[in-house]
Amino acid sequence: MGFSYRKSFKAGPFRVTASKSGISYSAGVKGVRVTKRANGRVQTTISAPGTGLRYTASSTSSGKQQSLATPAAAVNAPVTGTSAARRDRGSRRPGAWYIAIVLLSAGLFSAIPFAHAAARLRRKDLRLRAGIYAAVAMVVAVLSSITPHDAHGNAVGTAGRALSTILALLALALMATACFQLVPLRREVYGLEAGPTPPTHPAAADPVVAAHLAARARRDEARALAQSDPVLAQDLRIGRPDLPREYDDGGLIDLNSVPADAIATACSIEPSLAERIVAARQELGSFSSLDEVFVFAEVEEGTAARIREYGLLLPR
């Protein structure tokens, strides 16, 4: 049989276990638990008591997610060139930690990627989201601390079971909401919006068409620069034809800053519509998306396409 040793120490929602293989620790309540095992693997388990619903995620200490039950044939199979290339691409996916930290912490650390995105993009709405997720995590921690447990860490009594169910459902909702919002945000922060290079326009040989296509390319380049480095974009005065500047942005217009006449000229729209855009901006403080511009300024679909082509939203 051999020598074995195992001893657990529990303090509220936290548990530390010492055994012959090392020390592991976990945090959570019945229905939601994150465990760091002695071999370095991190396991997150979420379940809704009484419903049969259960979600489990596991990763090694390097942060790569793995299945909890891997067939031996898959482990011992030789790695082909295609599968190796896919694995190599997956290991270099920028911003993948946004989703990983949410799943592995059962949503408790969801505020971290939003705070990182707010620092990179300098956006007030992201700082607000980070604060909301941090507040929800504190509520989960408080509910966990007041949930009555027995010596084995199981919820006891009607109140304990009810609180455990609420905590599990809250963690599931927190994870789902955070992941849904972080998928497009990750693309924006790490500049993953651009797809494959579009094919050459069939009429590009015409000098006039070529000039317009070149201006569009300049807009795309300037827009990408503004997304990755808003401070530099402001220094270059991207989207500010109303100010003296040297950088050619292809005709972009910053709808969060420029006056109405500049918007009307750049987007070739009626001055009355440009005035509505400025009035909506003053009412909101600033726009966070072009869709907000279209809704609050009551922009028609045909005109919205022109504004989307030239519009830019820099943080104020």
Side-chain angles (χ1 to χ4, degrees), residues 255 275-287 316:
L255 300 178
E275 293 287 353
R276 293 207 304 270
I277 293 175
V278 172
R281 182 180 71 201
Q282 293 174 345
E283 180 179 354
L284 296 174
S286 64
F287 297 114
R316 297 182 64 178

Side-chain angles (χ1 to χ4, degrees), residues 8-22:
S8 294
F9 307 91
K10 188 174 183 299
F14 303 97
R15 178 182 298 169
V16 178
T17 301
S19 63
K20 185 174 65 173
S21 57

Side-chain angles (χ1 to χ4, degrees), residues 43-122:
Q43 177 179 319
T44 302
T45 302
I46 300 176
S47 62
T51 65
L53 297 175
R54 182 183 180 90
Y55 170 82
T56 302
S58 178
S59 73
T60 62
S61 57
S62 60
K64 297 181 181 179
Q65 292 189 0
Q66 298 178 341
S67 171
L68 290 181
T70 304
V75 174
N76 297 325
V79 179
T80 63
T82 302
S83 61
R86 289 177 181 173
R87 185 174 301 175
D88 184 60
R89 286 197 301 268
S91 64
R92 295 199 302 266
R93 293 177 62 187
W97 67 273
Y98 273 25
I99 307 300
I101 196 172
V102 173
L103 297 179
L104 294 177
S105 68
L108 295 179
F109 297 156
S110 298
I112 295 177
F114 284 100
H116 177 266
R120 290 284 296 270
L121 300 179
R122 299 176 183 271

